[in-house]
Amino acid sequence: MCILIPETGSLRPEIYRFSKVDSTNAFLFREGIKGAPEWTACVADEQTAGKGRMDRVWNSPAGKGLWMSVLVRPQIPAADTPLLTYCAALAMSDALQETAKVKNGIKWPNDIVVDGKKICGILCTASFENGKPAFVVIGTGVNLRAGAYPPELADRAISVEEAGGLADRESVLMDYIQRLTLRVNALEAGEKVEMIENVIQRCVTVGREVKVNGSVQVRGVAEGIGHEGELLVRDVTGVLHSVNCGDVSVRGVMGYV
Ligand code: BTN
């Protein structure tokens, strides 16, 4: 069974729905290897081995969040693959604002935050062939209800319900997928600069003092986002550093964002 996409009139493959799965990202990656079509999606009530960035565990208890992934086969150069994270961040930021009615911001590169606390994390996993992305699995974990995240993260995490929003999983899911389609299409059409400008407008990291940990280690003020999506951080000596959104963690010196 397929679903009609109103904006384009095209058909989307069915969404896999599980009450329990190891990880929606891992499941779709396996399907991607088997040749699953673009826009195949997967959502689970519970993940038993949810993955976060930098090999962290992503807590995914039953019925507490939107744990989902979408498989894309983007026609973009390999170097632009990390920008898919921005497509997802913008799509989910809009879905949370418009559908769940939660005002939010983007913490560079790929967290969505509300009042300085994380409400959604994004994890992209890519498979490359002949120097191009053969497919990319875009996973998003949205905390919908109290209990979505462990109590020890209470000072840094929040759920839609706790933020006073509408925690309707199905509405956010469908709205997000439609917005993600438009964002990925725009990236494929070369609208990179516009997309990065959209991210800058919503980015709570820009203008703050930050500490970057990863391949680059730097402390300074985040001055902006460059044309390739990199965070531009000026250190105390005045040197400007370009930080790529690979395996880095960025923390505000005065708090989480
Ligand atoms: C992060 O560390 O912030 C990224 C978290 C991404 C979690 C989501 S939940 C759905 C999908 N499946 C996974 O195993 N991870 C992502």
Side-chain angles (χ1 to χ4, degrees), residues 81-92:
T81 310
L83 300 179
L84 289 166
T85 292
Y86 292 152
C87 293
L90 288 166
M92 189 56 85

Side-chain angles (χ1 to χ4, degrees), residues 84-123:
L84 289 166
T85 292
Y86 292 152
C87 293
L90 288 166
M92 189 56 85
S93 170
D94 282 341
L96 289 175
Q97 170 81 53
E98 300 302 323
T99 301
K101 309 292 177 203
V102 173
K103 209 163 171 268
N104 61 81
I106 297 174
K107 172 185 173 287
W108 191 91
N110 54 3
D111 288 347
I112 297 179
V113 295
V114 173
D115 297 333
K117 295 179 170 187
K118 180 162 169 170
I119 199 162
C120 167
I122 297 164
L123 177 68

Side-chain angles (χ1 to χ4, degrees), residues 4 13 39 44 48 66 76-77 89 110 117 158 170 175 183 205 208 214 222 242 244 257:
L4 188 66
W39 303 115
T48 53
L66 170 57
I76 54 172
N110 54 3
K117 295 179 170 187
I158 193 166
E170 198 60 21
D175 190 23
R183 291 282 177 186
T205 314
R208 294 202 180 222
S242 280
N244 292 317
V257 294

Side-chain angles (χ1 to χ4, degrees), residues 76-83 128 130-133:
I76 54 172
D80 287 351
T81 310
L83 300 179
F128 293 93
N130 305 322
K132 286 193 164 181

Side-chain angles (χ1 to χ4, degrees), residues 23-25 47 50-53 58 68-69 118 121-122 140-141:
S23 147
T24 56
N25 265 36
Q47 296 184 116
K51 295 171 195 226
R53 287 179 71 228
W58 184 262
M68 69 168 295
S69 304
K118 180 162 169 170
I122 297 164
T140 44

Side-chain angles (χ1 to χ4, degrees), residues 196-249:
I196 289 167
E197 271 163 14
N198 288 171
V199 175
I200 293 171
Q201 282 159 10
R202 288 170 217 199
C203 186
V204 295
T205 314
V206 173
R208 294 202 180 222
E209 202 183 345
V210 295
K211 194 171 166 206
V212 180
N213 270 319
S215 45
V216 179
Q217 303 235 338
V218 58
R219 187 173 164 156
V221 175
E223 286 196 345
I225 299 176
H227 285 169
E228 300 306 322
E230 71 281 18
L231 188 68
L232 303 171
V233 181
R234 195 172 298 278
D235 70 20
V236 278
T237 69
V239 173
L240 193 62
H241 300 261
S242 280
V243 182
N244 292 317
C245 52
D247 277 350
V248 291
S249 88

